[in-house]
Amino acid sequence: MFSRSSTFGRCAAILAVAALVPVTVADAASRDKRFFESVAGSWKGPGEIVAGKYKGTKFTCNLIGLPAEGKETGLKLDGTCRVGMFSQPMSAVISQAGGSYKGQFLDGADGKGLDIVSGQVTGNRAVMGINRAKLNGAMVARLEEGDSMNITISVKVEDRMIPVIGLKLNRQATAMAEND
């Protein structure tokens, strides 16, 4: 049926692919970890609600991101967003779950927040799937030039993704760097 050389060739091809797969997965995990480490730090900037009931509302956020500890890949975010005199605590936890991500904003979909149900990091951009009851959407964070980050939150309406919140953050110098 099969010649000895074609069987050997198929086995060699299968072994070559199998040898590459773990490297690719390891490289992806390493790349993702580098992304989350690169967005760690203190961030501040303006945002705006661009669609919906509160369209036109402007706000400012002060956030601190810490990369996941140890071998974990992800980010913990804490801070506040302010509209006029009113301040709202803001928090998020994003952690790797297999080849994707999970987590929550605020206290998750069971509370007053959102669940992170999926995610992917590609280069300088992370896209996280978000969910709350029947609301589905995405949060896209794009790091630009290392010291600025654009975040867009969109929701799915019928078959289209509609941007509802835009945020432009700038990295803040640390107190140690300011004292040098």
Side-chain angles (χ1 to χ4, degrees):
M1 256 202 232
F2 294 110
S3 72
R4 185 178 267 173
S5 63
S6 71
T7 303
F8 176 76
R10 286 186 183 148
C11 289
I14 290 169
L15 289 173
V17 170
L20 290 176
V21 171
V23 172
T24 304
V25 171
D27 286 347
S30 175
R31 179 197 63 226
D32 289 10
K33 189 167 184 69
R34 281 192 308 271
F35 173 81
F36 286 111
E37 288 172 349
S38 75
V39 298
S42 180
W43 297 86
K44 181 178 182 178
E48 182 175 357
I49 299 173
V50 295
K53 182 178 178 179
Y54 299 104
K55 180 178 180 177
T57 301
K58 297 181 189 295
F59 57 92
T60 301
C61 294
N62 288 301
L63 305 167
I64 296 177
L66 299 172
E69 295 180 4
K71 293 181 180 180
E72 295 294 316
T73 298
L75 183 76
K76 181 177 183 195
L77 187 70
D78 279 307
T80 59
C81 291
R82 177 181 288 285
V83 176
M85 296 176 27
F86 302 100
S87 186
Q88 170 71 39
M90 188 58 54
S91 65
V93 175
I94 301 170
S95 59
Q96 193 168 35
S100 190
Y101 286 87
K102 66 177 180 175
Q104 60 187 29
F105 286 97
L106 298 174
D107 54 356
D110 289 339
K112 295 181 179 181
L114 297 163
D115 286 338
I116 297 169
V117 296
S118 64
Q120 180 177 359
V121 175
T122 306
N124 66 343
R125 185 174 89 154
V127 178
M128 301 292 147
I130 55 177
N131 175 268
R132 178 178 175 84
K134 294 182 181 179
L135 174 74
N136 291 300
M139 188 265 329
V140 179
R142 188 175 64 248
L143 187 62
E144 297 178 355
E145 301 173 18
D147 288 327
S148 75
M149 183 169 27
N150 289 320
I151 299 173
T152 303
I153 298 175
S154 302
V155 296
K156 190 168 187 174
V157 177
E158 295 175 6
D159 61 345
R160 295 182 0 191
M161 292 295 281
I162 307 294
V164 292
I165 297 174
L167 183 59
K168 176 136 177 99
L169 299 172
N170 292 302
R171 190 183 305 271
Q172 303 299 295
T174 64
M176 288 176 62
E178 291 171 358
N179 292 332
D180 289 340

